[in-house]
Amino acid sequence: MEDVTCKVLVIGAGPGGYVAAIRAGQLGLDTVIVEGECLGGTCLNVGCIPSKAIIHAADEFEKAAYFAGESAIGVKAGKPEIDFAKTLAWKDGIVKRLTTGVGGLLKKNKVRAITGWATFVDGKTVDVKENGSTHRIRAENIIIATGSVPVELPFLAFSGDVISSTEALALATPPKSMAVVGAGYIGLELGIAYAKLGTKVTVVEAMDKILPLYDKELTRPVEKTLKRLGVEVLLGAKAKGQSKKGLDIETADGKAETVKAEKILVTVGRAPKTEGWGRDKLVLDMDGKFLRVDDKCRTTMSGVYAIGDVTGEPMLAHRAMAQGEMVAEIIAGHNRRWDKRAIPAVCFTDPEIVSVGLSPEEAKSSGYDVKTQNFPFSANGRAMSMEAEEGFIRVVARADNKLVLGVQAAGKGVSELSTAFGLAIEMGATLDDIAGTIHAHPTLGEAFHEASLRTLGHALHI
């Protein structure tokens, strides 16, 4: 057994963990990071990055099919084909480049990376098995960044044709038919992508709306896309199990039906990974199923921190990264604390959806008297020239002092505007600040300017 001592031990090398380790190394802290599977965690290997690659390929294929017909802009092309094996190889190449890059950054910043499964002995000691040998690591500070895993339904266990998002990103070929259980962002992102690739997709959702975390105004453009692609959406329906023909369900009116499907994609959420690393050896308070942390990401044990999905919603990679960076700086003696108000949530559907801060209803329920208006992309010159008129940008502000409380958008490429939205809230911008900022023309960002002007009562282009 090798004994290792360090200032900082990070358990889990997903976005939160590797950023924490890199930042700790930059600050001169003796740091070790342990990962049981692959550097980059779910996000880089089987989540954020590969899913966006598949979504991009699907978008390009749909665009090529559009140009094979009568396109509005006069571009004509032949009937498209897709070599899906090549698509997957391209996607895997991106993943490899990024994970290799993470390894290089850890090495550059003098972080020791150990591949193995970490198990707590006590609040300062962890055992890690690597290639048959065991490392006993003693650390002054430990950062738990174990992430999350797909939720498995007991009557639809992941096996064979019942798949999670992980398997959906590695299918040998697009299936002829697919049932998606759950109309959250993961299910709709992948469902829309496969529908564009020619799969007959049926979405089964127990609630009475798609994307339950977003309001109806934001989800309406996505509903139009689902209809255009021929995706059948069964709301108020419950999955019951797998049969020879596909997915057995109970419809909203209580009828038993079977959705024909080659593959059943279960996307009913993700669960924090709180087991398998010796939590029983520690005295940690829980916040429901998550680890409870304070505004410095400290757990109830001295010197033990937790970041990312294991600490609760929103379960987003960029939240984990920000927490990891913060905790490394706190250990180095910096005065930092966590504030989640300006975290963008992005849904990479078609069109994309972005939400930062408070929605109109959330602001009202928090006791604010609000002013809110949106500006449609159908009145934006750049959107018109991109054939991207669907959607809008909406601003929510306090009525008394015009402080911006939230920004939401639906539209093509609005994920790239999320930084501007988040920055406005982070900096405490008012409607006048945004209205007084000169936005380049012609850009989609002008709709942010116009939404603010409209909320003030004097929009220029509508």
Side-chain angles (χ1 to χ4, degrees), residues 34 53 96 126 213 284 321 342 434 449:
V34 177
K96 184 176 181 180
V126 170
L213 296 179
L284 297 173
M321 290 176 171
I434 299 169
H449 180 236

Side-chain angles (χ1 to χ4, degrees), residues 34 83 143 157 159 168 195 216 242 254 338 353 362 387 391 415 456:
V34 177
D83 182 343
I143 303 173
S159 178
K216 189 72 174 177
Q242 183 185 18
W338 178 248
I353 298 174
E362 288 170 338
E387 297 183 285
S415 59
L456 287 169

Side-chain angles (χ1 to χ4, degrees), residues 210-273:
I210 65 169
L211 299 170
L213 296 179
Y214 298 96
D215 61 69
K216 189 72 174 177
E217 189 176 26
L218 285 168
T219 60
R220 193 172 292 115
V222 179
E223 291 174 351
K224 290 182 180 179
T225 297
L226 292 169
K227 186 175 182 179
R228 172 174 62 80
L229 293 172
V231 175
E232 185 177 9
V233 180
L234 304 176
L235 299 176
K238 298 177 182 177
K240 290 297 183 180
Q242 183 185 18
S243 65
K244 290 183 179 180
K245 292 185 178 180
L247 175 69
D248 291 337
I249 67 168
E250 180 184 310
T251 63
D253 55 6
K255 296 180 180 178
E257 292 186 3
T258 298
V259 175
K260 292 182 180 180
E262 286 186 9
K263 299 291 181 182
I264 300 172
L265 171 59
V266 179
T267 58
V268 293
R270 296 186 63 85
K273 193 166 186 60

Side-chain angles (χ1 to χ4, degrees), residues 69-122:
E70 291 296 324
S71 72
I73 63 176
V75 177
K76 294 184 178 181
K79 184 179 179 180
E81 296 180 0
I82 186 165
D83 182 343
F84 205 60
K86 191 170 184 179
T87 302
L88 295 181
W90 168 73
K91 177 261 295 181
D92 292 340
I94 294 171
V95 170
K96 184 176 181 180
R97 284 166 58 196
L98 289 171
T99 54
T100 301
V102 169
L105 289 169
L106 291 169
K107 186 175 181 180
K108 176 185 176 182
N109 289 287
K110 298 180 173 58
V111 176
R112 179 178 177 180
I114 297 176
T115 302
W117 200 257
T119 305
F120 276 93
V121 177
D122 56 44

Side-chain angles (χ1 to χ4, degrees), residues 412-428:
K412 182 176 181 179
V414 293
S415 59
E416 300 302 329
L417 297 175
S418 62
T419 302
F421 303 160
L423 183 62
I425 296 174
E426 176 68 27
M427 300 301 291

